[in-house]
Amino acid sequence: MRRIIITTTAGLVLAAGALTGCGTTSATSTGQPSGAQPLAAVPTTDTGAAKAAAAEAAADAKAKVEAEAKAAAAAAAAATAKAAAEAKAKADAVAKAQAVAAAQVKAAAVAKAKAAAAAKAKAASDARMKAVAAAKAKAATAAAEAAAAATLAEASSETSSEVSYENCDAVRAAGAAPIRRGDPGYAPKLDRDDDGIGCEN
């Protein structure tokens, strides 16, 4: 089936109809002169198809706008996520640097405390060693002095036993007056007041 419109030479629509079969169908207006050439058939615009095409175009445009909006939203979300990740990475780096610095400060403090404790322990050990050495030296000195005193006392005793004075006159005659305790020839009988010095007068 083919839909055609028959027009006059002036462009006015005269009739429309549905024809079957193939070939060319023509008609003339009532007032057309005899012998006039038949008018050409002009196809009509399908209004439903045009509306459908317009609707499809509108749908395509809407879909395109929605897709662009969706892409823009996705890009914005990606940018936001990237910025958040960068901010988090920066914050983590700062926190890590602060933790490292704090650990270094703590390690330095611990090392300083250990060094101070070691120095204190060494000083205490040195002091103990010095005290022990001093005590040993003092004991050795005392022992040496005691040995010397004992030797002197023994020598004095031996000498005293070898020298004997009858009285102070003998002491004076020997030139040993006054005679002191520990001197050769000293005897209690020569020291009547027992003050350690005999034949004082």
Side-chain angles (χ1 to χ4, degrees), residues 40-67:
V42 180
T44 63
T45 302
D46 192 339
T47 304
K51 288 182 178 180
E56 184 178 358
D60 291 342
K62 182 179 180 182
K64 184 177 180 181
V65 170
E66 290 177 350

Side-chain angles (χ1 to χ4, degrees), residues 55-133:
E56 184 178 358
D60 291 342
K62 182 179 180 182
K64 184 177 180 181
V65 170
E66 290 177 350
E68 291 177 350
K70 186 176 180 181
T80 301
K82 183 178 179 181
E86 290 176 350
K88 185 177 182 301
K90 185 177 181 180
D92 291 343
V94 171
K96 184 177 180 181
Q98 291 177 345
V100 170
Q104 290 177 347
V105 171
K106 184 177 180 180
V110 170
K112 185 177 181 180
K114 286 184 177 179
K120 184 177 180 180
K122 187 176 184 301
S125 177
D126 292 343
R128 285 195 300 270
M129 292 178 64
K130 287 181 179 179
V132 170

Side-chain angles (χ1 to χ4, degrees), residues 3 20-22 37 39 45 59 70 103 123 128 150 157 178 181 184 188 194:
R3 183 186 297 270
T20 60
C22 300
Q37 296 294 327
L39 300 175
T45 302
K70 186 176 180 181
R128 285 195 300 270
S157 176
R181 185 178 292 120
D194 196 23

Side-chain angles (χ1 to χ4, degrees), residues 106-193:
K106 184 177 180 180
V110 170
K112 185 177 181 180
K114 286 184 177 179
K120 184 177 180 180
K122 187 176 184 301
S125 177
D126 292 343
R128 285 195 300 270
M129 292 178 64
K130 287 181 179 179
V132 170
K136 287 181 177 180
K138 185 176 181 180
T141 301
E145 290 177 352
T151 301
L152 180 61
E154 184 179 356
S156 298
S157 176
E158 292 177 355
T159 305
S160 296
S161 62
E162 293 175 357
V163 178
S164 177
Y165 297 104
E166 182 66 26
N167 49 39
C168 286
D169 291 336
V171 173
R172 294 188 186 91
I179 190 170
R180 302 176 184 278
R181 185 178 292 120
D183 290 345
Y186 173 85
K189 65 181 181 179
L190 303 176
D191 186 8
R192 293 182 180 182
D193 55 3

